Amino acid sequence: MVQVRDKGGILRVLINSSHARIMLTVRNKSHKEVAEAMGISPEHFSRLMNGKCQPGPEIRKALTTKIFVGVPWDKIFIMETTTAGEV
């Protein structure tokens, strides 16, 4: 989980699920195939895609080097910031 505190806020990195779903469809990849290629369960991949949990460094690396090769980082992930009062 990425949580960077800066001036009272937290930075969260999430999968850009709307763009990721399009890319998976174009590549004819199912969630199960992607999860297996990354070494995680399909349930965990579903939670990642739904924004219920954040991808850690290993998962971010797997997505960029195994699944979405050549796709810019900012197309795969989104960053959200919150202030201390919103957490």
Side-chain angles (χ1 to χ4, degrees), residues 20 57 61 73:
K61 183 176 180 178
W73 196 92

Side-chain angles (χ1 to χ4, degrees), residues 32-51:
K32 184 177 179 181
E33 290 172 315
V34 172
E36 287 176 3
M38 292 174 37
I40 62 175
S41 71
E43 294 80 14
H44 184 59
F45 186 68
S46 179
R47 287 192 303 272
L48 289 165
M49 290 293 285
N50 290 321

